[in-house]
Amino acid sequence: MSSLQPVRGTHDLLPDEARRHRLVEETAFAVARRYGYGEIATPIFEFTEVFARTLGETSDVVTKEMYTFQDRSGDSITLRPEGTAGVARAFISGGLAQALPLKLFYRGPMFRHERPQKGRLRQFHQVGVELLGVDSPLADVEVVAMAWRILSALGLGGAVQLEINTLGDAESRAAYRDTLVAYLSRFAADLSEDSRARLERNPLRVLDSKDEGDKRIVAEAPVMTGSLTPAAREFFAQVTGGLTALGVPFTVNPRLVRGLDYYCHTAFEFTTTALGSQGTVLAGGRYDGLIGQMGGPATPGIGWAAGVERLSMLVGEAPAAERPVAVIPMGDGLAGLKVADALRAAGVTVDMGFSGNMKKRLARANKLGARFAVILGEDEAARGAATLKDLDSGTQDEVPLAELAGRLLGRG
């Protein structure tokens, strides 16, 4: 390799972009806290079984996209491709069934070996929530509404569209499975090899196929609506009615599906066309069967995850960095360090100028966007004072060092 470069599909978060990421994460958590959510942080790697059991051993993520390796003990370890599985594992291994209901927020890097594209990397970041232990449709309403409030708080309400659908209950899905198999069987010879295998094991997974030929066949497939039980219809009616009551705009998309068996009832996605082709920026759904499938107690759950990279691209310009105070010692550098240290201890953000003449140091202060410069000349230092220069107006005056922090913090 001729030069050191980041691995394909990864990139460095430099300060401007890091501020956008932080804005997305902190805005999401601030809204989630108002809904009663606490933060959880699970390891970035788990035993491979955690993801194979939750994502389906034949899914594209498991077979093609996971970063899996053997550690020195011979255990199969996988970097997490998504957040829900780790939260569910923590719920089971931590014995948290007695703490229900649980409202959990997470954030952090995820890893998938897929073709990098705009807003999609091999190491990417997500924020997400999981609500465990509540089977009411009102929980679905609240979780979706919270996502909408977060996107609105980021100023993205006009850039995204909410699509929602019902996957029905177990009885509805069984009836739909029969209807779907009858339809897909007519085109079995034209399906991709993966979809022909799924037709036998889990036909709903065919609906998630990325193969273009499969997509054309699936486009004419029957939808879940015709197989819903009265109870499932009522559940979905309460969800859509609740969203309408809260003023959350949505469109029902009967072809929005989740292929894995543990999903049920509500599925939803927030999409945008502002990044080129239509893309999903936040997606979620109800997964009442997940924790039981993993070997834990039967526990209802609903949640969503959002891509921080895509949301930060939609946010646009990075939030302005905090404007520091520039401390410019023109004599004893240690005296400057002492003043800077005292100001930082008082809560002032300080950039210390270490070298150069006055002109160069002021130029650096202006480049950093500093609001004030504290100039420590030898004469002022002897009097226990400094020159405080307002870099916006150009005015300056002498201020005793003991009063400097209060003046900069607006108390003097």
Side-chain angles (χ1 to χ4, degrees), residues 49-104:
E49 179 187 16
V50 170
F51 303 112
R53 292 178 66 175
T54 57
L55 297 174
E57 293 188 4
T58 61
S59 70
D60 285 348
V61 175
V62 172
T63 60
K64 302 175 184 177
E65 297 175 6
M66 294 200 317
Y67 283 94
T68 298
F69 58 94
Q70 278 198 338
D71 68 5
R72 293 183 180 183
S73 301
D75 294 317
S76 182
I77 303 295
T78 295
L79 299 179
R80 62 185 184 195
E82 55 91 37
T84 301
V87 172
R89 191 271 312 146
F91 172 80
I92 296 169
S93 62
L96 300 178
Q98 303 304 313
L100 293 174
L102 277 173
K103 292 183 170 183
L104 302 171

Side-chain angles (χ1 to χ4, degrees), residues 362 373 375 380 387-390 393-398 407:
L362 284 173
I375 303 170
E380 293 98 333
T387 297
L388 181 62
K389 182 171 184 176
D390 185 324
S393 67
T395 60
Q396 63 184 46
D397 60 335
E398 189 172 291
R407 177 81 169 267

Side-chain angles (χ1 to χ4, degrees), residues 34 42 68 72 89 131 138 140 187 211 241-242 247 257 262 264 268 271-272 276 305 318 321 328 336 351 371 373 394:
R34 295 202 294 270
T42 62
T68 298
R72 293 183 180 183
R89 191 271 312 146
L131 172 54
L138 294 180
D140 303 43
F187 303 95
D211 180 87
V257 296
Y262 54 75
C264 62
F268 60 94
T271 62
T272 184
I328 302 176
D351 179 81
R371 179 68 177 85

